[in-house]
Amino acid sequence: MKPAQSPPARPSDVYFFATCVVDQFFPGAGMDAITLLESQGIRVHFPEEQTCCGQPAYTSGFPDEARKVAAHQLTLFPNEWPVVVPSGSCAGMMKHHYPTLFAADPIRKAQAEKLSARIYEFTDFLVNVLGWHPEDHGDACTVVLHTSCSARREMGVHLTGRKLLGDLHKVTVAQQDHESECCGFGGTFSVKQPEISGAMVEDKVKALKATGAERVVSADCGCLMNILGHAAWKDRQEGRAKPSLPGEHIASFLLRRTSK
Amino acid sequence: MNAPQTPHTLHFMPSAGFRARAKDVVDNPFLRQSFRGAMDFLMSKRAAQFPDAEELESLRTLGESIRQYNLARLPDLLERLEARLTANGIQVHWAETPDEANEIILGICRRHEAKLMVKGKSMVSEEIELNHAAEAAGIGALESDMGEYIVQLADEKPSHIIMPAIHKTKEQIAKLFAENVPGVDYTDNVDALIQIGRRVLREKFQEADIGLSGVNFAVAETGTLCLVENEGNGRMCTTAPPVHIAITGIEKIVEKLEHVPPLLSLLTRSATGQNISTYFNMISSPRKPGEKDGPSEVHLVLLDNGRSQAYADEQLRKTLQCIRCGACMNHCPVYTRIGGHAYGTTYPGPIGKIISPHMLGLEATKGLVTASSLCGACGEVCPVKIPIPELLIRLREEAFSAPPRANPAMRGQGAGYSGLISAVWRGWAAVYRSPSLYRVATWMGSRLRGLVPSRQGAWTSVRVPLKPAPKRLRDMLKERG
Ligand code: SF4
């Protein structure tokens, strides 16, 4: 498996950029990711001043607003430590779009380039920097993995999540139909084109459920918000009390499986 | 079951009604299933052509650089092409708008007192709505590509740039033939249907005064028009009638003959998963003295229709790299859900979203540019590496920024501007660039989570409401110490 970039020596410290979605909506996933990194003997630093990578404005066509928010993040990671991001989509923004976003601003462009070289998506960091092989302590179960489009196509880290799950010897990873297809989230797309986005998430949830897996895991909370949000809506519509498709961030799943 | 139809009009307003048209298809399980099946088939055919990821990547890089090389020299190449074609005896015409292109073509028809034009598959002729212009001028225009013929019989527009009738089932086609072709009984045997079509068309090739075709590549150094096709009708259109008119966009040009094979190979493999198309025509001149066949006149109409606007901007210029293979639509989860007609443009799918704004202006197309989750499947398969998601983001900026800018890069810049939405984004930036405001806003969010409305606009049409967690990650970290 090719790392997304040449791995540095195993670091003693990393920064954690939680993303605004994790901070506000999936804090447990952030906690679990941090705990997992710490369990590998790494000191995790959470710059208090962090907010959002700026992607929502950027992809909606408001680059000035995105730049303002992104410029603020540029200053938060002064040491040469890797910056671990528990989201392929926000990592993709910081790694691939920051340098172009600041193309006309030499000072910030230089900062952005230095930062982007240190950005790691969470599962990529575990596999390609730490060389971690999770040891499974859980009972046999079947899960299905959803990989975000940014992780797959922008970061090229779609194999690392699969590899980590593959190391868990009592976990079967089910294969969903149209695995590589988008779940239909796409930030503001989900509200600007609700009919199309709705059809996409409907198909995605059907495909995930059809595998019979007991839960879906993903390294992107944006996708999870969409997928789990639709699955829960469907459960309500059909009067099910128990969630038909529970799900969580891959960090939470990995932490649980590897804890004794 | 009826496919949604686009009414005939020379003035596309694709944004108006786009959501409603999309919803019609999304709510139609039959259509959704049939598009899904068709796209799955095309995707697997393409995938089988490119088993080696590294080889594919280097081919795409080659395709990209050939297209960029030629676009970089476009003005010069166009002049050289015109000179070469003229020397070869092919008459060259320039059209800035669809109306001008129609006028040129109909003018040639009138000079020859033409009654019937047979057409090979040409998306540019769809772009200018030639069939309607011809009809209005009293000239019959008959599509000879099987898919286009079906679409014409049904009085519809193509729903895909490579497979115009992909939205039709064989039963629908059987019915169309039985109702519209004299002396034909209902049969849904595909081979029989093709034979019927061929028989009808073959007579018409003899009768036609004009043959019209598109062009896939125009080679400047040799003055050659290359035409890719599978049915042989393109060859008939360009050889049987006494006059051949080819029409294409100004971007379809390459300098050298050696640029053609790599692009051709990428085109057929990406489009239909074929190693090579059944026919590949190279047209370099009209019939020469002493030759037994071929048209005595050949014309080329070069259409701009907004292409030079795209050309003028370094980033938007990449749009013109396109070789019209259709792979981006085959792989697009949005196209797969809504099919081609919902877009309301000549070119549907991802390529349609990035090129139509140049042809029709952003007023008419501002809604289309939002119709993407930016999943990147299109950019991943594009054989000439057009960064489609990046261009969509740029078009969103052009559409939603405040008008008017001094020298707008695009017609209709700011057409989607809303003072309210812009203010919302400014407010968003004010909060998210300021750690203290962010802290307050998100703290309130988690405290007031009980007050979160149960309806959150479009989000809750198929999802449960979003609710902030009771504690933010930063609170949890603090508590942990
Ligand atoms: S944009 Fe790329 S994938 Fe789409 S039709 Fe053009 S060449 Fe093919």
Side-chain angles (χ1 to χ4, degrees), chain B residues 199-215:
Chain B
R199 205 182 58 230
V200 174
L201 292 167
R202 195 153 286 267
E203 287 162 21
K204 298 289 182 185
F205 286 124
Q206 306 301 329
E207 233 178 85
D209 313 290
I210 308 274
L212 187 123
S213 79
V215 175

Side-chain angles (χ1 to χ4, degrees), chain B residues 161 321-329 350-351 354 378 381-386 388:
Chain B
I161 64 170
Q321 285 166 216
C322 177
I323 55 172
R324 302 285 191 271
C325 71
C328 55
M329 49 200 82
I351 179 59
I354 59 170
C378 49
V381 297
C382 176
V384 290
K385 286 197 173 176
I386 302 177
I388 300 174

Side-chain angles (χ1 to χ4, degrees), chain B residues 440-458:
Chain B
V440 174
T442 55
W443 182 83
M444 302 236 308
S446 51
R447 283 313 128 111
L448 303 178
R449 63 192 293 273
L451 303 179
V452 157
S454 62
R455 281 169 181 272
Q456 298 172 347

Side-chain angles (χ1 to χ4, degrees), chain B residues 22-41:
Chain B
K23 188 173 185 312
D24 278 348
V25 187
V26 159
D27 290 343
N28 181 333
F30 168 80
L31 275 181
R32 238 168 100 179
Q33 194 48 45
S34 85
F35 280 124
R36 170 66 108 182
M39 296 307 118
D40 281 352
F41 176 71

